[in-house]
Amino acid sequence: MRVVFLGPPGAGKGTQAKRLADARGWAHLSTGDMLRAAMKAGTPTGLEVKAIVERGDLVPDGVVDALIRERLTELGGDAGYILDGYPRKLSQAKALSVVLAELKTPLDAAVYIDVADEVLVKRIADRAAKEGRKDDTEETVRNRLHVYQEDTAPLVAHYGAQGLLRKIDGDRPIEDVSSDVSNSLGLNGGAA
């Protein structure tokens, strides 16, 4: 199965994607992890990405599109995977569609984890304190939520129009959200 996880920053996409990928033996393709690895390595791209992330802006499409194309090609057509944090814009969704058409591997579903903004701000502040993530200040979080509403929220309608969208209430315990994600994908095994 090939699935995209959508939702605002802090909604739990990464947690849910990892749980489901681990339970099913699928690849968990987190653009955030890929980009953080580049920043940590201090590569020229990583340094460029770090400056962008610290402003609370999104990394340019070309950088992320290339990372995804490379990874999906490596995985091959039969692999199950979850894309976590990509696509973030309609232009990226279109680029993804081109890659998937070339690979003859269409998406099976788009899981949208919905959580209210104020809950997200608190979650991210708590995560920042726990993990020492300096890029998660309240100001940058609010900027990310604004950017999300402008750029990423339209993907909900995009995948909904294709009949791929599965909407999940993400403001509940992790296990309940996992169960709903699995059930929405027809994986009837309950919790992921």
Side-chain angles (χ1 to χ4, degrees):
M1 183 168 268
R2 295 168 298 277
V3 183
V4 168
F5 271 57
L6 304 171
K13 296 181 303 292
T15 298
Q16 294 300 328
K18 182 170 179 6
R19 287 174 65 97
L20 183 59
D22 288 350
R24 297 291 170 174
W26 299 340
H28 174 212
L29 307 179
S30 166
T31 53
D33 289 348
M34 291 183 217
L35 294 170
R36 278 189 286 279
M39 288 187 291
K40 186 175 181 178
T43 64
T45 301
L47 295 173
E48 178 185 357
V49 167
K50 183 178 181 182
I52 293 166
V53 169
E54 285 177 350
R55 288 193 307 267
D57 293 332
L58 296 176
V59 176
D61 289 356
V63 173
V64 181
D65 292 344
L67 282 170
I68 294 298
R69 174 182 287 277
E70 181 179 295
R71 188 67 176 108
L72 292 180
T73 301
E74 288 171 3
L75 283 174
D78 294 333
Y81 59 80
I82 298 172
L83 287 168
D84 169 15
Y86 181 92
R88 288 185 188 250
K89 303 179 194 182
L90 285 174
S91 60
Q92 289 179 337
K94 291 175 183 175
L96 176 61
S97 292
V98 169
V99 171
L100 296 177
E102 289 170 4
L103 297 173
K104 297 180 174 69
T105 58
L107 284 178
D108 295 301
V111 173
Y112 169 54
I113 301 176
D114 188 25
V115 180
D117 284 0
E118 291 310 311
V119 173
L120 296 170
V121 171
K122 181 179 180 340
R123 276 189 190 177
I124 293 171
D126 291 348
R127 179 179 74 185
K130 184 188 276 186
E131 297 177 10
R133 290 173 59 168
K134 294 182 172 88
D135 61 324
D136 283 340
T137 66
E138 183 173 344
E139 182 180 339
T140 55
V141 169
R142 291 202 183 275
N143 186 49
R144 283 188 204 143
L145 291 172
H146 175 74
V147 170
Y148 169 81
Q149 287 302 324
E150 287 186 0
D151 292 343
T152 309
L155 292 174
V156 173
H158 173 76
Y159 286 118
Q162 295 177 31
L164 297 174
L165 192 70
R166 312 293 189 268
K167 185 175 179 183
I168 307 295
D169 176 3
D171 190 14
R172 296 175 300 134
I174 290 171
E175 293 76 17
D176 293 348
V177 175
S178 293
S179 179
D180 280 359
V181 167
S182 290
N183 288 332
S184 77
L185 295 173
L187 301 175
N188 303 327

